[in-house]
Amino acid sequence: MKKFQIAAIASIFIVGGFMGLNANANKSESGKVSASAVQHANSIERITWEHAGELEAQKGFEENIGTAGVLSGSFKDYLIVGGGANFPYESVLNGGPKKHYSDIYVLKKENNQLSMVEHTNLDHEIGYGSSITTKKGVYYIGGSPEEEYADDILFLTIDKDKKLKVEKIGDLPFTISNGIAVEKNGKLYIGLGQQNGNASNKIYEYDLKTSKTKELAPIPGESVRNQSVAQLLNGDLYIFSGGGSTAYTDGYKYDIEKNSWSKAASVEADGKEISLLGANSVPLNKHEMLVIGGFNKAVYDDAVEKLGTLQGEELAVFRTQYFNADPQEFNWNKEILIYNAKKDSWRSIGKIPFDAPCGEGLVLMNKTIYSINGEIKPGVRTNAIYSGTLLQH
């Protein structure tokens, strides 16, 4: 084993490149970065972060510049991540084409370090699908630039020879990307995002035993809801934020048994509403989820409006300033947020000590959380992986 070294204008951001870190940013001499902390009894109090390395270059490339919209999950002691997209040939400002990847990396934590177990390739490129980690394996739904594969349901496990096993276990009756998915009792709950290339607020139930798909009650509110965060908590589906021509901060609870929706607490911390558009999440326990990332609503809304209305020289000047700005100027969400479904409330346990990512892989393995790649400003990714140790009060 080799040591791991380690529709519309809104689509410019969500599908095209609003979704990336200096690998050594914020590191101390010991290699660790500062902790995020807050007191909260009987739950996560803080996370101590450290830089965990980078992914090796994709097949056919000399360098990995990081990807967003990745497949990510875990199976037993293995971390699985891959696919995603970036702009390797030319910047977004200069009209560079977006590139998706078929590379999948299997990693394992040994002696407090990640080691590469396998680097392999699918037979097609993937990105911006939905990943679900279960005890049996990792599901990956939709998410491919190739229409033939954009309705696939894949299932990933690791065999006894430590090799990645990828099975296609079903087809949806529609293609999907930038959506959400959770699993409960052998059924997948899938929806939102782009369905058959069009923005949708529809939700479906896919039965893994019968391969049948059933349409459910659509989510209330906006008819366009890309890149929301969603988790199964206390047996119900919770969906927060997302966006279209504007970024949202609202939340909804779906009662699976009753096929009905109700409002959940809007996303906020310290009295300030926060957009989670482009963020990622992991379940902490039966009733809590943790979220990292999210575009800044004011910056996002302003950019979408100006990119859609300005013309000529004014548009060229704005584009140049916008895409050349530093990551900090976009003010993406650095708060580490925890939602408690039992209390229907949000809280922050501090801030991540690295540039806020969007479209990153987020994987929880035991008491360690991994933030993998992602975008740190429009069109720019990071290849950094950060590991955080969850500490309880």
Side-chain angles (χ1 to χ4, degrees):
M1 253 186 335
K2 178 168 57 174
K3 184 177 179 182
F4 178 58
Q5 297 295 323
I6 323 222
I9 295 298
S11 66
I12 292 175
F13 308 100
I14 297 171
V15 181
F18 196 101
M19 295 292 287
L21 250 185
N22 182 333
N24 295 309
N26 298 314
K27 288 178 65 180
S28 67
E29 293 181 2
S30 65
K32 293 192 175 184
V33 288
S34 58
S36 308
V38 80
Q39 297 293 322
H40 197 87
N42 302 320
S43 189
I44 302 301
E45 175 191 357
R46 67 180 189 273
I47 301 177
T48 301
W49 294 93
E50 57 184 299
H51 177 264
E54 297 97 22
L55 294 170
E56 65 185 28
Q58 293 95 339
K59 183 178 180 181
F61 287 80
E62 295 183 359
E63 179 186 10
N64 189 330
I65 61 173
T67 51
V70 296
L71 174 160
S72 64
S74 64
F75 177 69
K76 296 183 177 178
D77 296 327
Y78 298 94
L79 188 156
I80 303 171
V81 63
N86 58 24
F87 298 85
Y89 308 113
E90 186 60 86
S91 69
V92 175
L93 177 61
N94 295 328
K98 192 175 189 179
K99 166 67 177 171
H100 288 73
Y101 296 91
S102 64
D103 298 73
I104 304 292
Y105 306 87
V106 178
L107 318 169
K108 188 175 183 180
K109 185 177 181 180
E110 297 177 315
N111 299 321
N112 292 322
Q113 290 186 327
L114 288 174
S115 296
M116 178 76 72
V117 176
E118 184 180 14
H119 175 185
T120 188
N121 290 80
L122 302 177
D123 58 5
H124 62 279
E125 297 173 353
I126 60 171
Y128 299 96
S130 297
S131 303
I132 311 171
T133 293
T134 70
K135 291 182 179 179
K136 294 182 178 180
V138 178
Y139 293 97
Y140 182 75
I141 295 100
S144 174
E146 303 172 59
E147 186 174 352
E148 177 183 355
Y149 303 104
D151 59 358
D152 286 358
I153 300 176
L154 302 181
F155 187 60
L156 296 82
T157 55
I158 308 297
D159 66 21
K160 61 182 180 180
D161 297 318
K162 300 180 181 180
K163 294 293 184 181
L164 179 70
K165 181 180 180 182
V166 182
E167 303 173 81
K168 177 182 174 181
I169 61 171
D171 284 300
L172 294 170
F174 51 88
T175 65
I176 187 168
S177 62
N178 294 302
I180 61 94
V182 302
E183 185 271 343
K184 180 184 181 182
N185 297 335
K187 296 178 179 179
L188 303 179
Y189 296 88
I190 301 164
L192 310 185
Q194 301 288 317
Q195 299 178 18
N196 286 333
N198 298 311
S200 179
N201 64 352
K202 292 183 178 181
I203 302 285
Y204 298 85
E205 175 189 273
Y206 179 89
D207 192 314
L208 291 165
K209 290 183 178 179
T210 65
S211 299
K212 292 184 178 179
T213 304
K214 178 174 69 174
E215 185 172 348
L216 306 173
I219 190 171
E222 304 289 345
S223 61
V224 178
R225 196 174 289 270
N226 291 296
Q227 293 187 8
S228 301
V229 296
Q231 289 294 341
L232 188 74
L233 302 172
N234 291 336
D236 297 316
L237 169 61
Y238 284 82
I239 297 176
F240 295 96
S241 192
S245 58
T246 62
Y248 317 139
T249 62
D250 54 351
Y252 294 91
K253 168 187 172 181
Y254 175 71
D255 186 315
I256 293 174
E257 304 303 323
K258 297 180 180 178
N259 187 30
S260 64
W261 293 89
S262 58
K263 283 285 291 180
S266 294
V267 186
E268 66 172 54
D270 299 325
K272 178 183 177 182
E273 287 197 324
I274 298 174
S275 161
L276 300 181
L277 171 59
N280 206 345
S281 66
V282 292
L284 293 175
N285 50 53
K286 182 180 178 181
H287 56 271
E288 287 185 314
M289 63 187 284
L290 181 149
V291 183
I292 289 178
F295 302 149
N296 178 276
K297 176 173 173 56
V299 174
Y300 176 90
D301 292 357
D302 179 69
V304 172
E305 193 273 332
K306 287 181 177 176
L307 288 169
T309 58
L310 295 178
Q311 296 181 353
E313 185 176 347
E314 278 189 305
L315 176 60
V317 170
F318 177 78
R319 279 176 50 83
T320 300
Q321 293 175 341
Y322 184 79
F323 288 107
N324 283 331
D326 292 330
Q328 292 76 17
E329 297 180 59
F330 293 93
N331 198 26
W332 288 0
N333 174 48
K334 299 188 75 170
E335 300 286 345
I336 303 171
L337 299 173
I338 293 179
Y339 174 74
N340 186 309
K342 194 174 182 180
K343 299 178 179 179
D344 189 28
S345 64
W346 289 89
R347 64 188 176 92
S348 170
I349 59 168
K351 298 183 178 182
I352 53 173
F354 47 89
D355 288 333
C358 286
E360 80 279 14
L362 200 62
V363 179
L364 179 63
M365 297 175 67
N366 298 317
K367 293 184 179 181
T368 303
I369 189 169
Y370 295 94
S371 177
I372 310 161
N373 286 198
E375 187 169 28
I376 54 166
K377 57 172 282 188
V380 176
R381 277 60 167 160
T382 176
N383 189 24
I385 296 179
Y386 290 93
S387 65
T389 301
L390 276 58
L391 302 173
Q392 293 180 310
H393 180 59

